[in-house]
Amino acid sequence: MGVSDAHDLTDDVVRTLEGIPAWRTAAAVRITPLPGGLTNRTFRVDADSQTFVARLAISGAEALGIDRRRERACALAASRAGVAPAVVHVRPEAGLMVTRYVPGRTLAPGEPASPDVVQRVVAAIRRYHALRPPAGARFSPTGTIAAYLRVARAGGIPLPADLPVLTSHLAKIANALEPAPRLAPCHNDLWGANLVDDGERVWIVDWEYAGTGDPYFDLATFAIYHAPDDAADAALLQAYFGEATPGGVARLQLMRLVAQMRDAAWYLAAQTLPQAPPGGRPDFMAAAEAHLARYREGLRDPRLPQWLLQARHG
C-alpha cells in the first residue's frame, strides 16, 4: 500500500490507518485530515476508487460519558436502517471507527434549517426512533448533566455561582417531563455538524452519545441550534408528529432548556480533557457561558409555568 499526503499526520496515526483491512491492499491511499471534531481526529481516506472516513478518539474522551462499544452497536443499527453511513471497521478499544464517506453539507452552528432540510432530518430520526431499543443503553439527559458537573468540579473548573438555582429549576423541569411518552433509540447529539445532507436524505454521524431515551430530546438538540423561533419549533413538531399540540410544544420547550444545560455542562467538563482537540483547544468556557445564558433566558420566559403544567398533563 502506498500512502500519500501523510506528511501532516503523526506516525501513530499513519501506523493505525495503514492496518485497516478495507484498504490494506489498495495500490494508492490518500489520507487527508478533516476539520471539526471535539473528541476525535477525523480523516478522509481515498483508497483507489473508494472513499472512507476514519475517526480516532482523543485521549480522555471517556470522561464525557462516551462508551465506544455502545456507540458501535448504535452506529451499526443506524447504518443497517439507512440512517448512518455504512460501518466498515471498528476497534472500540482504540476508539477507531471507519465508515463509508457520504458527500453532502452540514449545517453551521446557529444556521436555521430550511423546511426541506427539516423534513429530511425528521425522516432520518423517525426511521432510527422506530428501531428496537438497544439493550442496556439508557440515556438520561439530566443524569448526564450531573455527571458532567461532577467531572468539571473534580477537575477544578470554575462553575457558575448560580449553579444551585439553575439545577433546582432543572429538577422541576425533569419532574414535569417524567414519565416519557415513549422511549426509543436516540442519537442525543443532533446538531448540524452531525447531519450530512446530500440533498435527498440526511445521514447522521457520530453516535458517541446514542442510547435509549426520549425522542423529544433528539428534537431539542436539533432545535437549540437550528430552530430559531416558536414558528420553527412548531414546524419541527408538525414534521415529526403531524401536528404541534400544546402538550408537544410545552415538552419541546422544556427539553430545549435541558439540551442547553446539557451542552453547557459538556463544555465545562470538556475543559478537563488531557489532550487538546484537533486544531487546538477552542474556548470551551465561552461556549459553556453561551449555553448557560440561553438556559437562564429560557427560565425567565413567562410561559414556563404553563409549559410545566402542559408537559406534565398533556
Side-chain angles (χ1 to χ4, degrees), residues 263-309:
D263 280 15
W266 187 96
Y267 280 109
L268 290 169
Q271 294 177 79
T272 67
L273 288 174
Q275 182 180 352
R281 191 181 297 275
D283 192 341
F284 283 169
M285 183 58 81
E289 287 293 347
H291 285 288
L292 287 169
R294 289 190 283 271
Y295 178 73
R296 294 185 185 102
E297 181 182 3
L299 293 179
R300 293 191 295 269
D301 194 302
R303 297 170 293 178
L304 180 59
Q306 178 185 357
W307 290 334
L308 290 168
L309 287 172

Side-chain angles (χ1 to χ4, degrees), residues 142-155:
T142 53
T144 299
I145 292 167
Y148 287 161
L149 293 176
R150 287 194 296 269
V151 169
R153 188 177 288 110

Side-chain angles (χ1 to χ4, degrees), residues 15 75-76 78 81 84 111 134 143 155 214 216 236 270 287 300 310:
R15 284 195 300 271
L76 283 169
E111 178 185 348
D214 188 333
Y216 273 92
L236 180 61
R300 293 191 295 269
Q310 287 175 324

Side-chain angles (χ1 to χ4, degrees), residues 128-159:
Y128 187 68
H129 289 171
L131 299 181
R132 182 176 180 179
R138 181 70 191 271
F139 178 86
S140 165
T142 53
T144 299
I145 292 167
Y148 287 161
L149 293 176
R150 287 194 296 269
V151 169
R153 188 177 288 110
I157 304 303
L159 298 179

